[in-house]
Amino acid sequence: METGTILIDELAGGFDLYRTLESGQSYLWRRSDGEMYGGTPAPDAWYTTVVGSNDTGDGDVIRVRARDDRLEWESTTDAEPTVRQLLRLDDDLEEIVAAGPDDPLLREAYEAHRGMRLVADPAFGCLISFICSAQMRVGRIHTMVTTLAREYGSTVVFDGETYHAFPTPEQLATATEAELRDLGLGYRAPYVVRTAEMVAHGEAHPEAARDLEYEDAREYLTRFVGVGDKVADCVLLFSLGFDEAVPLDTWIKSAVEEYYPECDRGSYADTSRALRDRLGGEYAGYTQTYVFHHLRTGD
């Protein structure tokens, strides 16, 4: 077992592990007490994910927890670079907050959730997670994604425990619509199956959007079955590094109506563009995430 610590005080703007991983950005981590997305922090609990998995069961387990002034990690490998990448620990939060507009709602959200960072999830797992997210609460989305990992992903044994990686496109493409409906995916079942088939058969891959201009990247992702503009923006923001992406979900639409009515332009593309400018442009997705979590939790 490899282990290590990262001093939180050395991270520009600090770091809040609980808010980062339980703010509706990622569904690919599990909490050791089984209460992820239960609404209550658990300082001693480990968060675990599996990265680099393939059809033969290879993959690295990574466990992280925040205790006092440090972030501890354990893994099957030297995982510090991967932890820094997945949790975006090298982002300068102080600079990002300072670059945003001077706005009462934003100041309130940043103060309430200080240290929350964007994640950088693997693209395929992120894509399937947000296909599952339609009209679902965050806890239910997490349950769906966990179920897909348990039923179709490879198992990896680490420190005497068995973990389930999120399935590869090839593994998930073996699922049938009926099986996924039985697992609770409902009308999302055919979307998941067909999207997995598209990636497994080489028709398209979400990673291909990374090298495109932002709005072209969003349009590219909508070729996957069950992916509209909002889901595409979530994948761009939480996996592919498009910090300017502003997903217009129910909470953000409510924020537009109440706080930024001048940004309502009647269409997703035009409203998103106007809100992106209003929230600071380059880091508008960061700002959106703070507002989303602030409004959703009522803090």
Side-chain angles (χ1 to χ4, degrees), residues 112-146:
H113 310 291
R114 185 182 300 274
M116 184 173 72
R117 293 170 179 263
L118 292 182
V119 298
D121 274 348
F124 179 68
C126 183
L127 175 63
I128 297 298
S129 295
F130 282 97
I131 289 175
C132 290
S133 73
Q135 299 181 331
M136 278 289 172
R137 296 179 181 274
V138 290
R140 183 72 183 104
I141 302 164
H142 186 260
T143 298
M144 283 184 178
V145 175
T146 300

Side-chain angles (χ1 to χ4, degrees), residues 7-235:
L7 295 179
I8 292 175
D9 287 347
E10 295 182 356
L11 304 175
F15 177 58
D16 189 313
L17 179 63
Y18 166 68
R19 287 187 169 93
T20 297
L21 290 183
E22 299 197 42
S23 54
Q25 303 182 57
S26 177
Y27 303 95
L28 300 177
W29 293 79
R30 310 287 169 258
R31 208 168 89 175
S32 58
D33 64 357
E35 297 297 325
M36 190 162 182
Y37 281 112
T40 305
D44 292 327
W46 290 95
Y47 289 91
T48 307
T49 194
V50 181
V51 298
S53 62
N54 57 35
D55 296 353
T56 63
D58 293 327
D60 291 313
V61 174
I62 295 177
R63 296 196 299 226
V64 296
R65 68 178 175 184
R67 305 190 75 185
D68 300 322
D69 60 350
R70 64 192 187 277
L71 179 69
E72 302 174 344
W73 61 263
E74 299 178 347
S75 181
T76 48
T77 187
D78 181 3
E80 181 166 332
T82 305
V83 170
R84 287 184 172 274
Q85 175 191 353
L86 293 175
L87 301 177
R88 297 190 55 170
L89 299 183
D90 295 326
D91 287 0
D92 189 333
L93 283 186
E94 293 177 350
E95 178 182 312
I96 290 168
V97 172
D102 185 10
D103 178 286
L105 176 62
L106 305 187
R107 288 198 302 270
E108 188 178 288
Y110 277 127
E111 182 61 30
H113 310 291
R114 185 182 300 274
M116 184 173 72
R117 293 170 179 263
L118 292 182
V119 298
D121 274 348
F124 179 68
C126 183
L127 175 63
I128 297 298
S129 295
F130 282 97
I131 289 175
C132 290
S133 73
Q135 299 181 331
M136 278 289 172
R137 296 179 181 274
V138 290
R140 183 72 183 104
I141 302 164
H142 186 260
T143 298
M144 283 184 178
V145 175
T146 300
T147 300
L148 290 177
R150 184 188 70 234
E151 296 294 326
Y152 298 99
S154 300
T155 58
V156 182
V157 177
F158 171 61
D159 193 27
E161 296 186 48
T162 298
Y163 298 92
H164 298 274
F166 190 78
T168 65
E170 293 76 15
Q171 288 172 324
L172 195 52
T174 65
T176 67
E177 179 181 334
E179 289 171 348
L180 296 188
R181 287 186 184 274
D182 287 343
L183 293 176
L185 270 68
Y187 70 86
R188 305 158 196 80
Y191 305 160
V192 169
V193 171
R194 180 62 187 126
T195 292
E197 290 174 344
M198 290 176 69
V199 180
H201 298 160
E203 298 175 45
H205 198 291
E207 277 288 346
R210 191 184 293 274
D211 297 326
L212 302 176
E213 294 297 319
Y214 164 55
E215 293 195 5
D216 291 337
R218 185 172 66 198
E219 178 65 25
Y220 174 87
L221 291 178
T222 61
R223 72 183 55 197
F224 293 104
V225 181
V227 176
D229 289 331
K230 192 272 284 189
V231 169
D233 268 335
C234 289
V235 178

